[in-house]
Amino acid sequence: VNMITLLGNMPEPKNDEECYNNIETFSRYIEKEWIPQNFSMTETRELQDLIKMPYSQMNSEVVYLLQEKYDSTKKKHESSKQNYNMGSLNNFFWIRKWLDDYKRNVYDREAEKFAYVFHVWYTICFNEALRQKRYGDLSFFLGGYIWGKDFDQMFPNAVYGNIQLNRSRFELQTSVIYNLITERIEKIFEIRNERLEENGGRVSKIPEDDPQKEYKMFTWMLLGLFSNTFQVLLPPTLTRDSIVYTNYILIGKVQICMENYIVGLCNLGEMYTKINMEMLGINWNEYIEFITRIENNNQEKISAFRRIFTNIDLISAFYDYCYYQRDVKEGGKKDAHGRTEAVVDRFFRNVEHFLMDYLSEHIEGKINELVIENSQGIKRTINISEIYADLFEEYETEYMEKNDGNQGIVTMPQEERYRKLMEQLNEDLLSTISPLEAVRPVSGYLKKRTVDNAKANLDKLVHNIRRYYGERPYKDIRSLDTERLKNYYGIILKSWLVNPILEVSDDLNEEYKRIVKYYNDLIKE
């Protein structure tokens, strides 16, 4: 009743300032009245202290509190604590992940209510930044990723007979991406522009009097919007590195993902840092003037994504809506490029339908078209689906050339077997076996470098881990972090299902040594 009265007495906001004032009033109510009325004295003190912390420290504390409550709560089923390879626990991504786990897994109403405080509080924080136009803070709060690796299944895979390629996130040489985007910019503005050397590692400053400077800025900005940086680990770890280093070296490869684009639209200014445009001879003031034209021509689209990404409930609903509506018929006369374009078009149509269904918001024009304007006031439209299809087509071509069609790719009939074997591995790593079982010898390195030999040794390692915990009932095998082992096992298993005598690559061979040493050290007597 108190909350309804509070909301009912709020004036209908006519601008950002009045909306911000309402947010502040609501924020004080949550902190001073709602939290004390709904939680114990200890929890109230924790939550009230929490919301006064600096943002990054608050994130770490929230992760700790959510995990602690989650572990002690009755759940519908146990979900493994996955390593999503998102780096620091300060990232908002982890908060979103935990809140989704609560929504899907917990029974306890009190635990749900505890988690929902953070739905409310983070939405307040994001909207304070939004209404004060602190888009840099909003980018900092979001941390670059909303779903991260969870977004990797958003688009249907490209299927070619026995081969499947992931359309949702894929790697390309940075210079190749730049040149493909440059081609699109050239066509729509009818200009000629320079290309980067495909194997060149260095970039140069753009001369101040370069007549094509603004078109190069378009290209760099779009490159930043589509891409994320990563470290080549197993599996790859998403990072927040700049694309151009301070010594003018261009990062070798980046990953392409539509999540990067829709999150990046919320703050185009972030692309200045993400690319490191200062090293390219682009000053901040001219970049602001440049992106202001883009923002003015795409206000509705940018505003729509900002509304989604500043509301925790909408973030979750948006993902589910687009994911479950993602399938698209790829038949007909479409070529490979056309099929990918259709997949991306379907995603953006889902976005448009979501905005109508959840926000009653209609966007003029297609949401997958970005209007760009040069300094002479000439406006052109870039079709984002077409550029994405260009990039994926290049990835397909490179992949087929390097892998002779199917090495290491699980075929359609093998998918079910792969799933069952991974499920069995997960079950094994949650249960122990009798200490009467003999310890099995595990080679510290692969004398015979086949995936069959690697898998056989990994199976022995799993056996030894289960025996170790079976001999020590006071230790809980479920407390062991097995994600690294499962990730590596999955990579080996995919190749093993194709052909057991495939050779283990140098990188995988080195990782095998690290995996075996790491887990053997954990179960030493």
Side-chain angles (χ1 to χ4, degrees):
V1 173
N2 288 345
M3 183 181 287
I4 291 171
T5 302
L6 174 81
L7 296 173
N9 288 334
M10 282 183 180
E12 186 68 28
K14 297 181 179 63
N15 52 47
D16 281 337
E17 183 179 358
E18 291 180 4
C19 195
Y20 178 79
N21 291 337
N22 283 351
I23 292 169
E24 290 300 287
T25 301
F26 186 69
S27 171
R28 287 192 296 273
Y29 168 78
I30 293 295
E31 179 186 355
K32 303 296 185 184
E33 294 189 48
W34 191 82
I35 288 175
Q37 288 171 5
N38 284 275
F39 297 100
S40 68
M41 187 178 297
T42 300
E43 288 175 327
T44 295
R45 191 181 306 114
E46 284 179 334
L47 291 170
Q48 289 178 335
D49 288 344
L50 189 74
I51 60 184
K52 294 179 175 65
M53 292 179 181
Y55 185 79
S56 58
Q57 184 182 349
M58 182 173 78
N59 280 359
S60 298
E61 290 294 319
V62 171
V63 168
Y64 171 78
L65 290 173
L66 286 172
Q67 182 169 348
E68 185 179 51
K69 176 72 78 172
Y70 185 86
D71 288 343
S72 63
T73 300
K74 186 177 180 182
K75 293 172 279 293
K76 298 170 188 174
H77 62 271
E78 287 288 343
S79 60
S80 61
K81 296 184 176 55
Q82 302 180 53
N83 177 5
Y84 281 92
N85 301 290
M86 295 299 298
S88 170
L89 287 178
N90 289 343
N91 288 345
F92 165 71
F93 166 87
W94 289 104
I95 311 296
R96 196 247 354 126
K97 177 236 184 261
W98 275 113
L99 294 178
D100 278 358
D101 281 353
Y102 271 81
K103 184 180 71 172
R104 291 164 183 155
N105 295 338
V106 302
Y107 277 115
D108 191 287
R109 290 288 294 167
E110 291 302 309
E112 285 186 75
K113 185 166 67 174
F114 180 78
Y116 201 74
V117 173
F118 303 110
H119 283 247
V120 175
W121 193 253
Y122 276 85
T123 298
I124 287 172
C125 289
F126 293 163
N127 278 274
E128 285 176 334
L130 177 65
R131 296 301 175 177
Q132 290 191 311
K133 296 181 170 58
R134 293 185 284 117
Y135 304 131
D137 285 347
L138 184 57
S139 291
F140 173 71
F141 292 165
L142 294 175
Y145 304 104
I146 305 294
W147 303 285
K149 302 297 284 185
D150 287 343
F151 201 86
D152 289 10
Q153 306 304 317
M154 181 57 74
F155 295 162
N157 288 344
V159 179
Y160 302 95
N162 291 335
I163 301 172
Q164 293 193 65
L165 296 179
N166 185 4
R167 282 193 180 103
S168 300
R169 196 183 301 268
F170 53 92
E171 299 171 14
L172 272 181
Q173 256 190 304
T174 312
S175 55
V176 170
I177 299 167
Y178 181 93
N179 292 339
L180 286 170
I181 296 174
T182 292
E183 286 183 26
R184 285 283 172 183
I185 298 291
E186 283 182 340
K187 288 177 183 177
I188 65 173
F189 279 105
E190 298 178 347
I191 52 113
R192 289 293 300 166
N193 215 339
E194 296 174 348
R195 304 289 195 276
L196 296 180
E197 292 183 21
E198 291 201 359
N199 294 316
R202 284 186 171 273
V203 293
S204 303
K205 278 191 174 183
I206 305 169
E208 189 62 37
D209 58 352
D210 188 335
Q212 311 301 347
K213 186 172 185 178
E214 63 180 325
Y215 301 112
K216 292 176 181 175
M217 289 166 67
F218 280 133
T219 304
W220 283 114
M221 184 202 71
L222 286 168
L223 189 155
L225 278 172
F226 279 110
S227 64
N228 65 262
T229 55
F230 67 102
Q231 290 180 358
V232 185
L233 300 172
L234 292 171
T237 299
L238 305 184
T239 69
R240 296 276 283 157
D241 294 338
S242 294
I243 289 173
V244 177
Y245 296 124
T246 53
N247 58 359
Y248 296 97
I249 295 293
L250 181 68
I251 196 167
K253 283 188 174 183
V254 292
Q255 292 177 334
I256 299 299
C257 183
M258 192 54 69
E259 179 195 28
N260 304 322
Y261 175 79
I262 59 179
V263 174
L265 272 185
C266 295
N267 179 22
L268 293 175
E270 177 72 8
M271 297 307 109
Y272 187 84
T273 305
K274 186 175 182 178
I275 295 293
N276 197 1
M277 291 194 185
E278 185 179 5
M279 297 303 298
L280 299 171
I282 301 166
N283 68 58
W284 175 246
N285 289 333
E286 67 180 322
Y287 182 71
I288 286 294
E289 182 181 340
F290 164 79
I291 63 169
T292 298
R293 295 196 298 269
I294 297 174
E295 290 175 344
N296 289 340
N297 286 306
N298 299 275
Q299 285 182 353
E300 283 190 323
K301 298 162 191 171
I302 293 171
S303 175
F305 284 116
R306 285 173 178 165
R307 283 192 68 184
I308 293 169
F309 296 142
T310 53
N311 184 306
I312 306 301
D313 294 329
L314 288 180
I315 286 171
S316 179
F318 175 85
Y319 180 89
D320 289 344
Y321 187 95
C322 293
Y323 179 79
Y324 290 114
Q325 305 291 331
R326 72 193 188 282
D327 288 332
V328 61
K329 292 181 180 179
E330 296 187 15
K333 298 180 180 179
K334 295 186 182 76
D335 57 10
H337 186 281
R339 289 193 292 270
T340 297
E341 191 176 337
V343 164
V344 183
D345 280 344
R346 175 59 181 264
F347 171 76
F348 281 109
R349 283 198 303 274
N350 289 339
V351 174
E352 291 167 359
H353 294 158
F354 177 85
L355 293 171
M356 284 293 296
D357 294 348
Y358 283 76
L359 300 175
S360 300
E361 191 169 307
H362 174 71
I363 302 295
E364 290 295 329
K366 293 183 178 179
I367 204 164
N368 66 321
E369 292 181 343
L370 190 71
V371 179
I372 57 178
E373 180 182 352
N374 67 13
S375 55
Q376 284 77 47
I378 300 172
K379 296 181 182 181
R380 295 288 186 268
T381 298
I382 288 186
N383 187 308
I384 298 304
S385 303
E386 289 180 357
I387 292 184
Y388 197 93
D390 289 345
L391 298 172
F392 186 72
E393 185 177 40
E394 181 67 26
Y395 168 71
E396 289 174 300
T397 302
E398 284 189 11
Y399 190 92
M400 297 301 184
E401 289 176 354
K402 290 179 180 177
N403 292 275
D404 296 326
N406 68 351
Q407 182 168 330
I409 301 298
V410 179
T411 61
M412 296 293 282
Q414 293 164 335
E415 281 188 332
E416 183 64 16
R417 192 178 177 201
Y418 172 81
R419 184 183 65 78
K420 288 182 177 179
L421 288 171
M422 288 303 294
E423 283 181 357
Q424 185 61 54
L425 176 68
N426 284 323
E427 290 176 12
D428 288 347
L429 289 170
L430 291 173
S431 62
T432 61
I433 57 176
S434 168
L436 298 177
E437 294 276 352
V439 175
R440 295 178 180 175
V442 179
S443 176
Y445 64 97
L446 295 174
K447 298 176 183 177
K448 188 177 181 182
R449 280 180 53 174
T450 63
V451 290
D452 187 57
N453 190 33
K455 180 181 177 298
N457 276 282
L458 293 173
D459 288 335
K460 294 175 188 176
L461 179 61
V462 170
H463 170 93
N464 292 347
I465 290 171
R466 298 175 70 201
R467 179 190 176 281
Y468 172 85
Y469 282 93
E471 196 172 30
R472 294 161 178 79
Y474 54 87
K475 288 189 174 184
D476 188 352
I477 190 172
R478 292 174 297 179
S479 66
L480 177 66
D481 181 4
T482 56
E483 288 308 309
R484 189 176 177 186
L485 174 56
K486 288 190 288 189
N487 287 332
Y488 183 79
Y489 191 98
I491 294 170
I492 293 297
L493 182 60
K494 285 182 179 180
S495 295
W496 181 82
L497 287 168
V498 174
N499 186 351
I501 65 170
L502 287 175
E503 184 175 339
V504 174
S505 69
D506 290 343
D507 288 342
L508 288 176
N509 185 50
E510 291 303 312
E511 180 67 0
Y512 171 86
K513 297 175 189 176
R514 292 190 289 265
I515 289 281
V516 170
K517 183 178 187 308
Y518 176 76
Y519 286 99
N520 271 338
D521 287 346
L522 289 178
I523 60 173
K524 277 183 178 177
E525 298 297 332

